[in-house]
Amino acid sequence: MPRSTDLSSADFALQLKLHSFLHLRAENRFVDVRAKGCPRTAPVMRGKRIDRQGTLDALLAARKTRQDDAAAKEAAQAERERVAGLIAPQAIPGARAGLEGPAAIAQLADDFITITTRNEGAALPDLVRMGWRKSQIFEHADAARTLAYSRQNGVAA
């Protein structure tokens, strides 16, 4: 009698548990519990019986395909973010947290002017979103407000 290369029923059940697969007998499908949405895979049949080794191999191959697809999507997203990072610095003003002294006052004044043209006034959360530290805002707000007022009204400062 030729020796079977198929897994025994107990070994198959153990391998399913080990790899986080679940057999749904009502559907006669296997579920990958580790994957989002618990995708289902049909068993590999040999005649009227399940080829256990073939089914396990198919389940692992399906998981590998899903992981490869997810990795490809992640790589594409990383490439989009890299390209956006190359483009964005030209469109977004520089970081303000490192500014000090007259440079900070001048930039804060420009930001006050920019924000007040869009809204009624500059609020602390708006400035923090732009990259300012609260300590900078409190330190330079009065001088920047005066400078912004003089720039808007044509007064030389």
PDB file of all heavy atoms in Angstrom, residues 93-115 122-141 144:
ATOM      1  N   PRO A  93       4.500  77.043   4.332  1.00  0.00           N
ATOM      2  CA  PRO A  93       5.527  77.862   4.954  1.00  0.00           C
ATOM      3  C   PRO A  93       6.408  77.035   5.890  1.00  0.00           C
ATOM      4  O   PRO A  93       5.980  76.007   6.400  1.00  0.00           O
ATOM      5  CB  PRO A  93       4.745  78.906   5.761  1.00  0.00           C
ATOM      6  CG  PRO A  93       3.322  78.698   5.445  1.00  0.00           C
ATOM      7  CD  PRO A  93       3.166  77.444   4.658  1.00  0.00           C
ATOM      8  N   GLY A  94       7.622  77.487   6.092  1.00  0.00           N
ATOM      9  CA  GLY A  94       8.579  76.767   6.923  1.00  0.00           C
ATOM     10  C   GLY A  94       8.124  76.642   8.361  1.00  0.00           C
ATOM     11  O   GLY A  94       7.235  77.361   8.822  1.00  0.00           O
ATOM     12  N   ALA A  95       8.770  75.764   9.085  1.00  0.00           N
ATOM     13  CA  ALA A  95       8.434  75.541  10.491  1.00  0.00           C
ATOM     14  C   ALA A  95       8.724  76.807  11.285  1.00  0.00           C
ATOM     15  O   ALA A  95       9.742  77.476  11.094  1.00  0.00           O
ATOM     16  CB  ALA A  95       9.242  74.376  11.036  1.00  0.00           C
ATOM     17  N   ARG A  96       7.830  77.119  12.166  1.00  0.00           N
ATOM     18  CA  ARG A  96       7.953  78.350  12.934  1.00  0.00           C
ATOM     19  C   ARG A  96       8.527  78.121  14.327  1.00  0.00           C
ATOM     20  O   ARG A  96       8.939  79.066  14.976  1.00  0.00           O
ATOM     21  CB  ARG A  96       6.588  79.009  13.023  1.00  0.00           C
ATOM     22  CG  ARG A  96       6.130  79.537  11.681  1.00  0.00           C
ATOM     23  CD  ARG A  96       4.621  79.540  11.609  1.00  0.00           C
ATOM     24  NE  ARG A  96       4.119  80.255  10.470  1.00  0.00           N
ATOM     25  CZ  ARG A  96       4.001  79.739   9.254  1.00  0.00           C
ATOM     26  NH1 ARG A  96       4.368  78.510   9.028  1.00  0.00           N
ATOM     27  NH2 ARG A  96       3.522  80.454   8.267  1.00  0.00           N
ATOM     28  N   ALA A  97       8.546  76.899  14.771  1.00  0.00           N
ATOM     29  CA  ALA A  97       8.976  76.607  16.137  1.00  0.00           C
ATOM     30  C   ALA A  97      10.431  76.988  16.373  1.00  0.00           C
ATOM     31  O   ALA A  97      10.826  77.275  17.498  1.00  0.00           O
ATOM     32  CB  ALA A  97       8.769  75.124  16.450  1.00  0.00           C
ATOM     33  N   GLY A  98      11.239  77.026  15.322  1.00  0.00           N
ATOM     34  CA  GLY A  98      12.656  77.346  15.484  1.00  0.00           C
ATOM     35  C   GLY A  98      12.969  78.830  15.374  1.00  0.00           C
ATOM     36  O   GLY A  98      14.105  79.243  15.582  1.00  0.00           O
ATOM     37  N   LEU A  99      11.974  79.646  15.060  1.00  0.00           N
ATOM     38  CA  LEU A  99      12.219  81.083  14.899  1.00  0.00           C
ATOM     39  C   LEU A  99      12.366  81.771  16.245  1.00  0.00           C
ATOM     40  O   LEU A  99      11.698  81.425  17.212  1.00  0.00           O
ATOM     41  CB  LEU A  99      11.067  81.726  14.119  1.00  0.00           C
ATOM     42  CG  LEU A  99      10.877  81.258  12.679  1.00  0.00           C
ATOM     43  CD1 LEU A  99       9.634  81.893  12.078  1.00  0.00           C
ATOM     44  CD2 LEU A  99      12.094  81.590  11.846  1.00  0.00           C
ATOM     45  N   GLU A 100      13.256  82.777  16.270  1.00  0.00           N
ATOM     46  CA  GLU A 100      13.467  83.548  17.501  1.00  0.00           C
ATOM     47  C   GLU A 100      13.638  85.016  17.164  1.00  0.00           C
ATOM     48  O   GLU A 100      14.006  85.365  16.043  1.00  0.00           O
ATOM     49  CB  GLU A 100      14.717  83.033  18.228  1.00  0.00           C
ATOM     50  CG  GLU A 100      14.606  81.618  18.745  1.00  0.00           C
ATOM     51  CD  GLU A 100      15.877  81.160  19.456  1.00  0.00           C
ATOM     52  OE1 GLU A 100      16.742  82.002  19.730  1.00  0.00           O
ATOM     53  OE2 GLU A 100      15.984  79.969  19.720  1.00  0.00           O
ATOM     54  N   GLY A 101      13.409  85.861  18.127  1.00  0.00           N
ATOM     55  CA  GLY A 101      13.673  87.288  17.996  1.00  0.00           C
ATOM     56  C   GLY A 101      12.922  87.961  16.870  1.00  0.00           C
ATOM     57  O   GLY A 101      11.745  87.682  16.618  1.00  0.00           O
ATOM     58  N   PRO A 102      13.625  88.874  16.144  1.00  0.00           N
ATOM     59  CA  PRO A 102      12.979  89.645  15.076  1.00  0.00           C
ATOM     60  C   PRO A 102      12.382  88.767  13.962  1.00  0.00           C
ATOM     61  O   PRO A 102      11.343  89.121  13.389  1.00  0.00           O
ATOM     62  CB  PRO A 102      14.102  90.514  14.522  1.00  0.00           C
ATOM     63  CG  PRO A 102      15.111  90.593  15.617  1.00  0.00           C
ATOM     64  CD  PRO A 102      15.000  89.310  16.374  1.00  0.00           C
ATOM     65  N   ALA A 103      13.018  87.638  13.650  1.00  0.00           N
ATOM     66  CA  ALA A 103      12.477  86.750  12.613  1.00  0.00           C
ATOM     67  C   ALA A 103      11.135  86.175  13.056  1.00  0.00           C
ATOM     68  O   ALA A 103      10.201  86.067  12.249  1.00  0.00           O
ATOM     69  CB  ALA A 103      13.463  85.623  12.317  1.00  0.00           C
ATOM     70  N   ALA A 104      11.020  85.817  14.332  1.00  0.00           N
ATOM     71  CA  ALA A 104       9.768  85.281  14.856  1.00  0.00           C
ATOM     72  C   ALA A 104       8.686  86.349  14.850  1.00  0.00           C
ATOM     73  O   ALA A 104       7.533  86.079  14.480  1.00  0.00           O
ATOM     74  CB  ALA A 104       9.970  84.733  16.265  1.00  0.00           C
ATOM     75  N   ILE A 105       9.040  87.568  15.223  1.00  0.00           N
ATOM     76  CA  ILE A 105       8.062  88.662  15.248  1.00  0.00           C
ATOM     77  C   ILE A 105       7.560  88.954  13.838  1.00  0.00           C
ATOM     78  O   ILE A 105       6.356  89.095  13.610  1.00  0.00           O
ATOM     79  CB  ILE A 105       8.682  89.921  15.900  1.00  0.00           C
ATOM     80  CG1 ILE A 105       8.968  89.639  17.388  1.00  0.00           C
ATOM     81  CG2 ILE A 105       7.769  91.129  15.743  1.00  0.00           C
ATOM     82  CD1 ILE A 105       9.789  90.709  18.076  1.00  0.00           C
ATOM     83  N   ALA A 106       8.482  88.989  12.869  1.00  0.00           N
ATOM     84  CA  ALA A 106       8.097  89.281  11.485  1.00  0.00           C
ATOM     85  C   ALA A 106       7.192  88.183  10.928  1.00  0.00           C
ATOM     86  O   ALA A 106       6.173  88.473  10.279  1.00  0.00           O
ATOM     87  CB  ALA A 106       9.346  89.437  10.626  1.00  0.00           C
ATOM     88  N   GLN A 107       7.535  86.929  11.175  1.00  0.00           N
ATOM     89  CA  GLN A 107       6.714  85.826  10.662  1.00  0.00           C
ATOM     90  C   GLN A 107       5.354  85.781  11.358  1.00  0.00           C
ATOM     91  O   GLN A 107       4.330  85.541  10.716  1.00  0.00           O
ATOM     92  CB  GLN A 107       7.434  84.489  10.843  1.00  0.00           C
ATOM     93  CG  GLN A 107       6.674  83.298  10.270  1.00  0.00           C
ATOM     94  CD  GLN A 107       6.464  83.397   8.767  1.00  0.00           C
ATOM     95  OE1 GLN A 107       7.414  83.609   8.027  1.00  0.00           O
ATOM     96  NE2 GLN A 107       5.235  83.270   8.321  1.00  0.00           N
ATOM     97  N   LEU A 108       5.340  86.019  12.655  1.00  0.00           N
ATOM     98  CA  LEU A 108       4.079  86.024  13.392  1.00  0.00           C
ATOM     99  C   LEU A 108       3.189  87.165  12.905  1.00  0.00           C
ATOM    100  O   LEU A 108       1.977  87.001  12.765  1.00  0.00           O
ATOM    101  CB  LEU A 108       4.343  86.133  14.898  1.00  0.00           C
ATOM    102  CG  LEU A 108       3.154  85.959  15.836  1.00  0.00           C
ATOM    103  CD1 LEU A 108       2.454  84.627  15.597  1.00  0.00           C
ATOM    104  CD2 LEU A 108       3.606  86.047  17.289  1.00  0.00           C
ATOM    105  N   ALA A 109       3.779  88.299  12.592  1.00  0.00           N
ATOM    106  CA  ALA A 109       3.007  89.417  12.050  1.00  0.00           C
ATOM    107  C   ALA A 109       2.403  89.037  10.700  1.00  0.00           C
ATOM    108  O   ALA A 109       1.218  89.308  10.437  1.00  0.00           O
ATOM    109  CB  ALA A 109       3.895  90.655  11.912  1.00  0.00           C
ATOM    110  N   ASP A 110       3.207  88.403   9.835  1.00  0.00           N
ATOM    111  CA  ASP A 110       2.681  87.937   8.541  1.00  0.00           C
ATOM    112  C   ASP A 110       1.541  86.946   8.734  1.00  0.00           C
ATOM    113  O   ASP A 110       0.541  86.979   8.013  1.00  0.00           O
ATOM    114  CB  ASP A 110       3.789  87.287   7.712  1.00  0.00           C
ATOM    115  CG  ASP A 110       4.786  88.298   7.169  1.00  0.00           C
ATOM    116  OD1 ASP A 110       4.439  89.504   7.121  1.00  0.00           O
ATOM    117  OD2 ASP A 110       5.900  87.885   6.806  1.00  0.00           O
ATOM    118  N   ASP A 111       1.691  86.052   9.708  1.00  0.00           N
ATOM    119  CA  ASP A 111       0.643  85.073   9.974  1.00  0.00           C
ATOM    120  C   ASP A 111      -0.623  85.736  10.503  1.00  0.00           C
ATOM    121  O   ASP A 111      -1.736  85.328  10.162  1.00  0.00           O
ATOM    122  CB  ASP A 111       1.142  83.995  10.943  1.00  0.00           C
ATOM    123  CG  ASP A 111       2.182  83.085  10.311  1.00  0.00           C
ATOM    124  OD1 ASP A 111       2.296  83.067   9.061  1.00  0.00           O
ATOM    125  OD2 ASP A 111       2.880  82.378  11.060  1.00  0.00           O
ATOM    126  N   PHE A 112      -0.453  86.774  11.349  1.00  0.00           N
ATOM    127  CA  PHE A 112      -1.621  87.510  11.825  1.00  0.00           C
ATOM    128  C   PHE A 112      -2.372  88.122  10.640  1.00  0.00           C
ATOM    129  O   PHE A 112      -3.596  88.042  10.550  1.00  0.00           O
ATOM    130  CB  PHE A 112      -1.214  88.629  12.786  1.00  0.00           C
ATOM    131  CG  PHE A 112      -0.921  88.187  14.190  1.00  0.00           C
ATOM    132  CD1 PHE A 112      -0.108  88.945  15.013  1.00  0.00           C
ATOM    133  CD2 PHE A 112      -1.457  87.022  14.717  1.00  0.00           C
ATOM    134  CE1 PHE A 112       0.162  88.560  16.311  1.00  0.00           C
ATOM    135  CE2 PHE A 112      -1.197  86.632  16.017  1.00  0.00           C
ATOM    136  CZ  PHE A 112      -0.371  87.405  16.813  1.00  0.00           C
ATOM    137  N   ILE A 113      -1.632  88.714   9.702  1.00  0.00           N
ATOM    138  CA  ILE A 113      -2.254  89.339   8.532  1.00  0.00           C
ATOM    139  C   ILE A 113      -2.970  88.281   7.691  1.00  0.00           C
ATOM    140  O   ILE A 113      -4.116  88.465   7.261  1.00  0.00           O
ATOM    141  CB  ILE A 113      -1.195  90.096   7.700  1.00  0.00           C
ATOM    142  CG1 ILE A 113      -0.684  91.303   8.494  1.00  0.00           C
ATOM    143  CG2 ILE A 113      -1.774  90.545   6.361  1.00  0.00           C
ATOM    144  CD1 ILE A 113       0.534  91.965   7.887  1.00  0.00           C
ATOM    145  N   THR A 114      -2.289  87.157   7.454  1.00  0.00           N
ATOM    146  CA  THR A 114      -2.872  86.089   6.642  1.00  0.00           C
ATOM    147  C   THR A 114      -4.146  85.548   7.275  1.00  0.00           C
ATOM    148  O   THR A 114      -5.170  85.374   6.596  1.00  0.00           O
ATOM    149  CB  THR A 114      -1.862  84.941   6.465  1.00  0.00           C
ATOM    150  OG1 THR A 114      -0.697  85.457   5.857  1.00  0.00           O
ATOM    151  CG2 THR A 114      -2.437  83.829   5.612  1.00  0.00           C
ATOM    152  N   ILE A 115      -4.096  85.289   8.574  1.00  0.00           N
ATOM    153  CA  ILE A 115      -5.262  84.715   9.252  1.00  0.00           C
ATOM    154  C   ILE A 115      -6.417  85.710   9.299  1.00  0.00           C
ATOM    155  O   ILE A 115      -7.573  85.338   9.085  1.00  0.00           O
ATOM    156  CB  ILE A 115      -4.885  84.236  10.676  1.00  0.00           C
ATOM    157  CG1 ILE A 115      -3.969  83.014  10.583  1.00  0.00           C
ATOM    158  CG2 ILE A 115      -6.125  83.894  11.481  1.00  0.00           C
ATOM    159  CD1 ILE A 115      -3.419  82.561  11.922  1.00  0.00           C
ATOM    160  N   ALA A 122      -7.007  86.163  14.693  1.00  0.00           N
ATOM    161  CA  ALA A 122      -6.093  85.034  14.857  1.00  0.00           C
ATOM    162  C   ALA A 122      -6.300  84.439  16.245  1.00  0.00           C
ATOM    163  O   ALA A 122      -6.147  85.130  17.249  1.00  0.00           O
ATOM    164  CB  ALA A 122      -4.653  85.487  14.691  1.00  0.00           C
ATOM    165  N   ALA A 123      -6.631  83.170  16.287  1.00  0.00           N
ATOM    166  CA  ALA A 123      -6.825  82.478  17.558  1.00  0.00           C
ATOM    167  C   ALA A 123      -5.614  81.588  17.832  1.00  0.00           C
ATOM    168  O   ALA A 123      -4.900  81.173  16.913  1.00  0.00           O
ATOM    169  CB  ALA A 123      -8.089  81.642  17.505  1.00  0.00           C
ATOM    170  N   LEU A 124      -5.401  81.315  19.093  1.00  0.00           N
ATOM    171  CA  LEU A 124      -4.270  80.488  19.504  1.00  0.00           C
ATOM    172  C   LEU A 124      -4.236  79.136  18.790  1.00  0.00           C
ATOM    173  O   LEU A 124      -3.168  78.750  18.281  1.00  0.00           O
ATOM    174  CB  LEU A 124      -4.287  80.304  21.031  1.00  0.00           C
ATOM    175  CG  LEU A 124      -3.131  79.525  21.632  1.00  0.00           C
ATOM    176  CD1 LEU A 124      -1.810  80.249  21.428  1.00  0.00           C
ATOM    177  CD2 LEU A 124      -3.373  79.273  23.105  1.00  0.00           C
ATOM    178  N   PRO A 125      -5.347  78.390  18.678  1.00  0.00           N
ATOM    179  CA  PRO A 125      -5.290  77.102  17.980  1.00  0.00           C
ATOM    180  C   PRO A 125      -4.860  77.219  16.515  1.00  0.00           C
ATOM    181  O   PRO A 125      -4.155  76.357  15.997  1.00  0.00           O
ATOM    182  CB  PRO A 125      -6.714  76.561  18.081  1.00  0.00           C
ATOM    183  CG  PRO A 125      -7.309  77.257  19.252  1.00  0.00           C
ATOM    184  CD  PRO A 125      -6.659  78.597  19.305  1.00  0.00           C
ATOM    185  N   ASP A 126      -5.253  78.323  15.854  1.00  0.00           N
ATOM    186  CA  ASP A 126      -4.846  78.529  14.464  1.00  0.00           C
ATOM    187  C   ASP A 126      -3.335  78.660  14.357  1.00  0.00           C
ATOM    188  O   ASP A 126      -2.709  78.087  13.461  1.00  0.00           O
ATOM    189  CB  ASP A 126      -5.505  79.781  13.876  1.00  0.00           C
ATOM    190  CG  ASP A 126      -7.012  79.682  13.827  1.00  0.00           C
ATOM    191  OD1 ASP A 126      -7.521  78.555  13.646  1.00  0.00           O
ATOM    192  OD2 ASP A 126      -7.677  80.727  13.966  1.00  0.00           O
ATOM    193  N   LEU A 127      -2.764  79.414  15.267  1.00  0.00           N
ATOM    194  CA  LEU A 127      -1.310  79.638  15.238  1.00  0.00           C
ATOM    195  C   LEU A 127      -0.545  78.370  15.605  1.00  0.00           C
ATOM    196  O   LEU A 127       0.499  78.082  15.024  1.00  0.00           O
ATOM    197  CB  LEU A 127      -0.942  80.789  16.177  1.00  0.00           C
ATOM    198  CG  LEU A 127      -1.502  82.157  15.751  1.00  0.00           C
ATOM    199  CD1 LEU A 127      -1.320  83.174  16.860  1.00  0.00           C
ATOM    200  CD2 LEU A 127      -0.836  82.627  14.476  1.00  0.00           C
ATOM    201  N   VAL A 128      -1.074  77.608  16.533  1.00  0.00           N
ATOM    202  CA  VAL A 128      -0.426  76.347  16.920  1.00  0.00           C
ATOM    203  C   VAL A 128      -0.452  75.384  15.743  1.00  0.00           C
ATOM    204  O   VAL A 128       0.532  74.693  15.466  1.00  0.00           O
ATOM    205  CB  VAL A 128      -1.101  75.737  18.175  1.00  0.00           C
ATOM    206  CG1 VAL A 128      -0.609  74.330  18.444  1.00  0.00           C
ATOM    207  CG2 VAL A 128      -0.848  76.632  19.387  1.00  0.00           C
ATOM    208  N   ARG A 129      -1.563  75.343  15.015  1.00  0.00           N
ATOM    209  CA  ARG A 129      -1.641  74.491  13.821  1.00  0.00           C
ATOM    210  C   ARG A 129      -0.632  74.907  12.761  1.00  0.00           C
ATOM    211  O   ARG A 129      -0.183  74.103  11.960  1.00  0.00           O
ATOM    212  CB  ARG A 129      -3.054  74.526  13.236  1.00  0.00           C
ATOM    213  CG  ARG A 129      -3.957  73.452  13.777  1.00  0.00           C
ATOM    214  CD  ARG A 129      -5.223  73.347  12.940  1.00  0.00           C
ATOM    215  NE  ARG A 129      -6.000  74.568  12.936  1.00  0.00           N
ATOM    216  CZ  ARG A 129      -6.937  74.872  13.827  1.00  0.00           C
ATOM    217  NH1 ARG A 129      -7.220  74.037  14.788  1.00  0.00           N
ATOM    218  NH2 ARG A 129      -7.596  76.003  13.750  1.00  0.00           N
ATOM    219  N   MET A 130      -0.288  76.170  12.730  1.00  0.00           N
ATOM    220  CA  MET A 130       0.681  76.658  11.748  1.00  0.00           C
ATOM    221  C   MET A 130       2.117  76.320  12.142  1.00  0.00           C
ATOM    222  O   MET A 130       3.022  76.510  11.350  1.00  0.00           O
ATOM    223  CB  MET A 130       0.535  78.166  11.566  1.00  0.00           C
ATOM    224  CG  MET A 130      -0.769  78.552  10.923  1.00  0.00           C
ATOM    225  SD  MET A 130      -0.934  80.320  10.740  1.00  0.00           S
ATOM    226  CE  MET A 130      -0.030  80.559   9.225  1.00  0.00           C
ATOM    227  N   GLY A 131       2.306  75.833  13.360  1.00  0.00           N
ATOM    228  CA  GLY A 131       3.645  75.413  13.776  1.00  0.00           C
ATOM    229  C   GLY A 131       4.270  76.248  14.876  1.00  0.00           C
ATOM    230  O   GLY A 131       5.429  76.040  15.235  1.00  0.00           O
ATOM    231  N   TRP A 132       3.539  77.199  15.411  1.00  0.00           N
ATOM    232  CA  TRP A 132       4.063  78.013  16.503  1.00  0.00           C
ATOM    233  C   TRP A 132       3.957  77.274  17.829  1.00  0.00           C
ATOM    234  O   TRP A 132       3.016  76.534  18.061  1.00  0.00           O
ATOM    235  CB  TRP A 132       3.270  79.318  16.612  1.00  0.00           C
ATOM    236  CG  TRP A 132       3.509  80.260  15.487  1.00  0.00           C
ATOM    237  CD1 TRP A 132       2.697  80.484  14.425  1.00  0.00           C
ATOM    238  CD2 TRP A 132       4.635  81.104  15.304  1.00  0.00           C
ATOM    239  NE1 TRP A 132       3.242  81.406  13.590  1.00  0.00           N
ATOM    240  CE2 TRP A 132       4.435  81.813  14.103  1.00  0.00           C
ATOM    241  CE3 TRP A 132       5.802  81.343  16.028  1.00  0.00           C
ATOM    242  CZ2 TRP A 132       5.359  82.735  13.614  1.00  0.00           C
ATOM    243  CZ3 TRP A 132       6.708  82.264  15.547  1.00  0.00           C
ATOM    244  CH2 TRP A 132       6.500  82.944  14.361  1.00  0.00           C
ATOM    245  N   ARG A 133       4.920  77.515  18.707  1.00  0.00           N
ATOM    246  CA  ARG A 133       4.826  77.038  20.090  1.00  0.00           C
ATOM    247  C   ARG A 133       4.065  78.089  20.889  1.00  0.00           C
ATOM    248  O   ARG A 133       4.150  79.286  20.599  1.00  0.00           O
ATOM    249  CB  ARG A 133       6.220  76.839  20.688  1.00  0.00           C
ATOM    250  CG  ARG A 133       6.995  75.706  20.081  1.00  0.00           C
ATOM    251  CD  ARG A 133       8.297  75.448  20.857  1.00  0.00           C
ATOM    252  NE  ARG A 133       8.946  76.663  21.298  1.00  0.00           N
ATOM    253  CZ  ARG A 133      10.030  77.216  20.725  1.00  0.00           C
ATOM    254  NH1 ARG A 133      10.573  76.656  19.686  1.00  0.00           N
ATOM    255  NH2 ARG A 133      10.555  78.327  21.190  1.00  0.00           N
ATOM    256  N   LYS A 134       3.334  77.664  21.891  1.00  0.00           N
ATOM    257  CA  LYS A 134       2.559  78.608  22.700  1.00  0.00           C
ATOM    258  C   LYS A 134       3.464  79.642  23.361  1.00  0.00           C
ATOM    259  O   LYS A 134       3.124  80.818  23.439  1.00  0.00           O
ATOM    260  CB  LYS A 134       1.754  77.862  23.758  1.00  0.00           C
ATOM    261  CG  LYS A 134       0.586  77.094  23.206  1.00  0.00           C
ATOM    262  CD  LYS A 134      -0.188  76.404  24.311  1.00  0.00           C
ATOM    263  CE  LYS A 134      -1.324  75.581  23.735  1.00  0.00           C
ATOM    264  NZ  LYS A 134      -2.087  74.895  24.781  1.00  0.00           N
ATOM    265  N   SER A 135       4.623  79.198  23.820  1.00  0.00           N
ATOM    266  CA  SER A 135       5.544  80.134  24.477  1.00  0.00           C
ATOM    267  C   SER A 135       5.987  81.234  23.501  1.00  0.00           C
ATOM    268  O   SER A 135       6.118  82.402  23.894  1.00  0.00           O
ATOM    269  CB  SER A 135       6.762  79.394  25.026  1.00  0.00           C
ATOM    270  OG  SER A 135       7.470  78.759  23.982  1.00  0.00           O
ATOM    271  N   GLN A 136       6.200  80.892  22.233  1.00  0.00           N
ATOM    272  CA  GLN A 136       6.572  81.898  21.230  1.00  0.00           C
ATOM    273  C   GLN A 136       5.436  82.899  21.022  1.00  0.00           C
ATOM    274  O   GLN A 136       5.677  84.108  20.918  1.00  0.00           O
ATOM    275  CB  GLN A 136       6.857  81.234  19.881  1.00  0.00           C
ATOM    276  CG  GLN A 136       8.140  80.481  19.771  1.00  0.00           C
ATOM    277  CD  GLN A 136       8.239  79.822  18.414  1.00  0.00           C
ATOM    278  OE1 GLN A 136       7.370  79.028  18.065  1.00  0.00           O
ATOM    279  NE2 GLN A 136       9.262  80.158  17.658  1.00  0.00           N
ATOM    280  N   ILE A 137       4.233  82.375  20.949  1.00  0.00           N
ATOM    281  CA  ILE A 137       3.081  83.246  20.706  1.00  0.00           C
ATOM    282  C   ILE A 137       2.930  84.247  21.842  1.00  0.00           C
ATOM    283  O   ILE A 137       2.787  85.451  21.609  1.00  0.00           O
ATOM    284  CB  ILE A 137       1.788  82.409  20.530  1.00  0.00           C
ATOM    285  CG1 ILE A 137       1.909  81.518  19.297  1.00  0.00           C
ATOM    286  CG2 ILE A 137       0.571  83.317  20.426  1.00  0.00           C
ATOM    287  CD1 ILE A 137       0.843  80.455  19.184  1.00  0.00           C
ATOM    288  N   PHE A 138       3.003  83.753  23.083  1.00  0.00           N
ATOM    289  CA  PHE A 138       2.835  84.642  24.226  1.00  0.00           C
ATOM    290  C   PHE A 138       3.987  85.639  24.333  1.00  0.00           C
ATOM    291  O   PHE A 138       3.786  86.788  24.715  1.00  0.00           O
ATOM    292  CB  PHE A 138       2.705  83.841  25.523  1.00  0.00           C
ATOM    293  CG  PHE A 138       1.451  83.019  25.585  1.00  0.00           C
ATOM    294  CD1 PHE A 138       1.497  81.688  25.952  1.00  0.00           C
ATOM    295  CD2 PHE A 138       0.213  83.562  25.265  1.00  0.00           C
ATOM    296  CE1 PHE A 138       0.343  80.921  26.004  1.00  0.00           C
ATOM    297  CE2 PHE A 138      -0.947  82.809  25.321  1.00  0.00           C
ATOM    298  CZ  PHE A 138      -0.871  81.484  25.691  1.00  0.00           C
ATOM    299  N   GLU A 139       5.182  85.239  23.928  1.00  0.00           N
ATOM    300  CA  GLU A 139       6.353  86.111  24.021  1.00  0.00           C
ATOM    301  C   GLU A 139       6.318  87.218  22.965  1.00  0.00           C
ATOM    302  O   GLU A 139       6.683  88.365  23.247  1.00  0.00           O
ATOM    303  CB  GLU A 139       7.630  85.285  23.857  1.00  0.00           C
ATOM    304  CG  GLU A 139       8.915  86.082  23.938  1.00  0.00           C
ATOM    305  CD  GLU A 139      10.149  85.217  23.753  1.00  0.00           C
ATOM    306  OE1 GLU A 139      10.038  83.982  23.773  1.00  0.00           O
ATOM    307  OE2 GLU A 139      11.238  85.792  23.583  1.00  0.00           O
ATOM    308  N   HIS A 140       5.912  86.886  21.742  1.00  0.00           N
ATOM    309  CA  HIS A 140       6.029  87.830  20.632  1.00  0.00           C
ATOM    310  C   HIS A 140       4.709  88.396  20.140  1.00  0.00           C
ATOM    311  O   HIS A 140       4.697  89.193  19.192  1.00  0.00           O
ATOM    312  CB  HIS A 140       6.725  87.144  19.443  1.00  0.00           C
ATOM    313  CG  HIS A 140       8.082  86.616  19.765  1.00  0.00           C
ATOM    314  ND1 HIS A 140       9.115  87.415  20.180  1.00  0.00           N
ATOM    315  CD2 HIS A 140       8.579  85.349  19.720  1.00  0.00           C
ATOM    316  CE1 HIS A 140      10.194  86.684  20.376  1.00  0.00           C
ATOM    317  NE2 HIS A 140       9.888  85.415  20.110  1.00  0.00           N
ATOM    318  N   ALA A 141       3.606  88.039  20.727  1.00  0.00           N
ATOM    319  CA  ALA A 141       2.292  88.439  20.212  1.00  0.00           C
ATOM    320  C   ALA A 141       2.115  89.949  20.159  1.00  0.00           C
ATOM    321  O   ALA A 141       1.649  90.491  19.151  1.00  0.00           O
ATOM    322  CB  ALA A 141       1.175  87.807  21.029  1.00  0.00           C
ATOM    323  N   ALA A 144       4.365  91.487  17.441  1.00  0.00           N
ATOM    324  CA  ALA A 144       3.912  91.055  16.121  1.00  0.00           C
ATOM    325  C   ALA A 144       2.596  91.721  15.755  1.00  0.00           C
ATOM    326  O   ALA A 144       2.383  92.088  14.591  1.00  0.00           O
ATOM    327  CB  ALA A 144       3.764  89.534  16.101  1.00  0.00           C
TER     328      ALA A 144
END
